[in-house]
Amino acid sequence: MNGQVLVEVEGVSRFYGKTAAVADVSFLIRRGEVLGFLGPNGAGKTTTMQMLSGNLAPSQGRISIAGRDLLENPTDAKRHIGYLPEYPPLYRELTVDEFLDFCAGLHGLSGKERKAARERAKARCGLAEVGGRLTGHLSKGYQQRAGLAQAILHDPDVIILDEPTVGLDPIQMREMRSLIRELGREHAVILSTHILPEVRASCDRVQIINGGRLVLNERIPDLDRRMQSSVLTVTFRRRPSLEALAALPGVGAVTPEGETRFKLFHDPSADPTEALIKLATEHAWGIYEISPEHQSLEALFVELTGQAGEA
Ligand code: ATP
């Protein structure tokens, strides 16, 4: 059932000595959702992923996976989790088939069930042709796919991916992102990254963590609406009347950028472009350039974390 809450994180903190790597973090992830977890180096992404996957105990707080408390019923809760850590946990001397069979065994699958799970995961991750190859001999992209196949083998409700595209070439990256999108249709997926365009390419919602605290949790369409342009840069051939520009509907302020270049700050819901063209034509000011300035996710990231993300 899409929309069902599959991950519930409530007031989770993790201390190392007196330092909080993660501090009082709460959020939900629903089935059918891909959540992008962004943050600068050392922000607490991996620590959060490790706690969500049941590999690290929180110092405080509660995590529930598909309705099961991860601390009280770890074995039961972990059955519903697939985890791809930052470095895929491969046994280099095993073939892809042997590796996936071994992992299926760990999930308690045997015989026909095991083979079916292995073949399904291989097909989903584009590994059908390489079942007999040693994982240690695969390219980085294929090793990542084998890591992902391991994570989805038991058809878990929740898929946790720690920096899934690190080290991939642009084509492999695109394939991995489309696979993540596809998985997101039926599962709840959380992926951590510091590649900003990755979030737009793969995610429905973005969370930004900084210094262990969540500083943003927003759906991508809401974010886009919030980041709608509210500034127009305009260049004229002849110097216009500043008063006339400032009087355009929706325009709050006009600042000169040069003799004939101006920035018009306007209400995001009232784009003055049409009225501006009409006015410029009436007065023969001659428009050279009108360009809306969109606030980028990058700018928002810098504003919230004080650090640059990877473009
Ligand atoms: P990156 O993008 O660099 O991987 P991150 O967001 O994943 O960073 P974490 O690895 O979660 O960040 O680390 C968060 C903070 O906790 C950092 O300040 C880190 O130094 C600290 N930390 C992580 N693991 C330990 C540990 N085992 N002992 C002490 N401090 C730790």
Side-chain angles (χ1 to χ4, degrees):
M1 186 184 60
N2 264 22
Q4 175 195 6
V5 173
L6 289 179
V7 178
E8 220 177 327
V9 175
E10 225 181 278
V12 163
S13 302
R14 170 73 203 198
F15 294 95
Y16 289 114
K18 282 193 178 153
T19 315
V22 170
D24 196 18
V25 161
S26 302
F27 59 89
L28 303 177
I29 318 176
R30 296 172 186 276
R31 189 186 297 281
E33 189 173 47
V34 181
L35 171 66
F37 206 51
L38 270 176
N41 289 130
K45 298 184 295 296
T46 296
T47 305
T48 306
M49 304 302 245
Q50 287 176 338
M51 290 193 286
L52 278 182
S53 61
N55 287 298
L56 183 72
S59 313
Q60 279 167 11
R62 204 180 68 85
I63 298 173
S64 138
I65 305 287
R68 286 128 182 116
D69 192 297
L70 185 57
L71 294 173
E72 284 169 16
N73 302 306
T75 313
D76 193 11
K78 281 189 195 177
R79 261 192 218 116
H80 298 265
I81 298 173
Y83 178 41
L84 174 63
E86 206 170 342
Y87 303 101
L90 302 177
Y91 290 101
R92 301 176 62 84
E93 67 284 4
L94 296 186
T95 64
V96 171
D97 280 349
E98 287 166 348
F99 168 66
L100 292 177
D101 278 345
F102 170 73
C103 296
L106 295 181
H107 289 300
L109 301 174
S110 58
K112 271 192 192 152
E113 247 184 352
R114 178 185 299 194
K115 184 163 183 247
R118 178 188 81 199
E119 292 306 311
R120 196 178 50 228
K122 267 165 57 187
R124 267 203 120 163
C125 298
L127 290 167
E129 309 299 319
V130 297
R133 292 195 52 194
L134 290 179
T135 59
H137 289 175
L138 296 175
S139 67
K140 170 79 184 148
Y142 273 86
Q143 288 188 349
Q144 201 72 357
R145 288 182 196 206
L148 187 59
Q150 160 279 134
I152 65 171
L153 202 52
H154 51 306
D155 199 23
D157 284 317
V158 177
I159 301 172
I160 301 170
L161 310 171
D162 199 352
E163 311 221 1
T165 60
V166 161
L168 302 188
D169 71 31
I171 294 171
Q172 294 169 336
M173 232 182 232
R174 204 168 61 188
E175 286 172 0
M176 180 60 87
R177 287 172 185 168
S178 91
L179 187 56
I180 291 170
R181 273 235 153 265
E182 201 186 302
L183 290 170
R185 286 195 209 118
E186 293 160 28
H187 307 258
V189 180
I190 175 167
L191 67 94
S192 81
T193 180
H194 38 246
I195 307 172
L196 301 180
E198 181 143 297
V199 171
R200 199 170 285 285
S202 325
C203 304
D204 305 293
R205 192 151 59 83
V206 56
Q207 282 186 174
I208 297 181
I209 187 167
N210 189 39
R213 292 190 177 274
L214 275 190
V215 291
L216 180 93
N217 180 358
E218 202 150 323
R219 281 166 27 83
I220 300 283
D222 294 338
L223 197 67
D224 282 341
R225 223 165 290 133
R226 183 137 83 90
M227 296 195 303
Q228 259 174 7
S229 166
S230 58
V231 185
L232 285 181
T233 301
V234 196
T235 311
F236 302 94
R237 204 190 317 263
R238 281 175 283 279
R239 194 174 164 76
S241 144
L242 279 187
E243 293 73 29
L245 289 179
L248 283 167
V251 172
V254 179
T255 58
E257 291 274 290
E259 243 330 87
T260 55
R261 196 159 193 258
F262 302 88
K263 272 196 192 300
L264 270 58
F265 294 85
H266 64 86
D267 182 341
S269 60
D271 183 346
T273 306
E274 267 183 50
L276 171 67
I277 293 172
K278 195 158 169 270
L279 187 72
T281 312
E282 277 168 18
H283 294 275
W285 291 335
I287 292 184
Y288 266 158
E289 173 205 5
I290 303 183
S291 47
E293 252 175 49
H294 288 277
Q295 193 192 9
S296 62
L297 182 54
E298 163 114 50
L300 185 67
F301 185 85
V302 172
E303 189 185 310
L304 291 173
T305 66
Q307 296 183 47
E310 254 174 59

